[in-house]
Amino acid sequence: MRIALFDSGIGGLTVLSHARRVLPSEEFLFFADRDHVPYGTKSVSAVRGYVREAFRFLVERQKADAVVVACNTATSVAVEEMRQLYDVPIIGMEPAVKKALAQDPDRRVLVTATPITVNGEKLRRLLSDYDTKGLVDLLALPGLVEFAESREFSSARVEEYLWNTLSPYELSKYSAIVLGCTHFNYFKDTMRRLLPKTMGFVDGNEGTVEELARRTGLTTAAAGTEMAPCEFFESGRPMAGQEALARIESYLARAARMEQIV
Ligand code: DGL
């Protein structure tokens, strides 16, 4: 099966890294919308336009059999429209609020995402369904998307940004931080140094891949060393050349390391 993963940028590689290991016999396409990243600070109508273009490319030209929108921001504003336009299974991503509250229904949860996701109607609905005790706080961290795109993960600037945004919260009261943007997974080691040990990470990466398998009738294997092949595209252009591919590999290697941090 030809499975496309789509993100505004390199965040979705954190989902791809897992998907290729547990579905090693499939064929993957990865689309990073490098011309338009970041999405989270742009207008909703601009993002909808970018997502339409990406789907045209992936489904109409590349004949993807299924699309994973490995981007919470694009899911928030455009997934419903794509489901109306295309017949292929489309798997979106939403901040894993339900999972975090199920793990500890009494302590607070800090949901981090992009400004579009944080202010979106989709997240508001999710909270009104699951956050019945009012335990969730929302925090937009758009700076992390820019840092991730420039491969800056643990510099003093990143630490300072994280510290300035996280320290106003009484973190000892929280059971979890939800990574509601796929770009944020690259910062788990840096965040681990700043957050109390009592606070765990929750993201939707594994759940999204399970949902992909369920919707396509595929069976996932235990993650091993075998990896499915993948073709990479930047805003519809095939990514070629040593330098571009080495850049992707370095993100994938970091994504795999971050997956081990809980
Ligand atoms: N990685 C994306 C997400 O999961 C969006 C980052 C951005 O382009 O602002 O929301």
Side-chain angles (χ1 to χ4, degrees):
M1 185 172 276
R2 215 165 144 71
I3 302 168
L5 270 87
F6 155 65
D7 184 31
S8 61
I10 47 69
L13 291 171
T14 64
V15 184
L16 177 75
S17 162
H18 183 72
R20 283 168 90 188
R21 276 174 230 276
V22 299
L23 294 169
S25 311
E26 309 311 315
E27 203 183 304
F28 285 89
L29 310 169
F30 184 82
F31 183 113
D33 195 0
R34 204 169 181 197
D35 293 352
H36 303 119
V37 67
Y39 281 4
T41 47
K42 301 229 165 71
S43 73
V44 166
S45 65
V47 172
R48 286 190 175 134
Y50 305 147
V51 177
R52 273 182 217 125
E53 265 178 61
F55 267 74
R56 262 199 293 275
F57 177 78
L58 292 169
V59 184
E60 296 175 25
R61 289 187 48 198
Q62 292 294 322
K63 310 288 179 214
D65 300 309
V67 182
V68 177
V69 182
C71 176
N72 296 259
T73 310
T75 300
S76 168
V77 297
V79 85
E80 303 304 342
E81 184 191 340
M82 293 306 107
R83 287 189 180 129
Q84 276 165 16
L85 286 175
Y86 296 101
D87 272 343
V88 298
I90 297 172
I91 294 86
M93 287 188 84
E94 280 191 286
V97 170
K98 194 178 154 190
K99 183 173 166 191
L101 288 171
Q103 283 178 6
D104 188 331
D106 298 313
R107 284 157 71 219
R108 301 199 70 76
V109 167
L110 186 60
V111 173
T112 60
T114 67
I116 283 191
T117 306
V118 161
N119 298 317
E121 177 57 22
K122 209 166 167 54
L123 183 56
R124 203 195 56 72
R125 278 200 306 260
L126 190 72
L127 293 182
S128 79
D129 287 348
Y130 295 102
D131 183 24
T132 47
K133 295 186 197 162
L135 292 173
V136 171
D137 289 309
L138 302 177
L139 172 64
L141 293 174
L144 290 188
V145 178
E146 308 275 356
F147 282 128
E149 288 292 328
S150 54
R151 276 194 284 181
E152 192 173 336
F153 305 113
S154 49
S155 62
R157 282 188 341 143
V158 172
E159 282 202 10
E160 192 187 336
Y161 175 77
L162 280 170
W163 188 244
N164 289 339
T165 47
L166 293 169
S167 60
Y169 295 87
E170 211 179 317
L171 296 172
S172 60
K173 290 200 168 147
Y174 291 76
S175 65
I177 181 165
V178 172
L179 305 174
C181 167
T182 48
H183 280 75
F184 297 175
N185 289 64
Y186 290 108
F187 299 92
K188 282 168 85 176
D189 53 352
T190 308
M191 288 188 191
R192 189 67 288 165
R193 287 198 293 276
L194 302 174
L195 295 172
K197 293 282 169 285
T198 46
M199 217 173 157
F201 294 106
V202 177
D203 67 56
N205 288 8
E206 253 184 72
T208 300
V209 177
E210 278 161 27
E211 178 66 3
L212 163 69
R214 200 185 63 74
R215 295 274 304 282
T216 51
L218 296 170
T219 307
T220 53
T225 46
E226 207 193 325
M227 263 206 294
C230 184
E231 279 177 76
F232 296 94
F233 298 91
E234 280 179 339
S235 306
R237 300 177 299 275
M239 237 186 256
Q242 295 271 342
E243 208 180 305
L245 294 172
R247 183 171 174 270
I248 293 294
E249 284 310 321
S250 82
Y251 278 112
L252 285 168
R254 185 165 180 87
R257 286 202 303 281
M258 295 303 107
E259 218 181 306
Q260 308 308 315
I261 300 175
V262 288

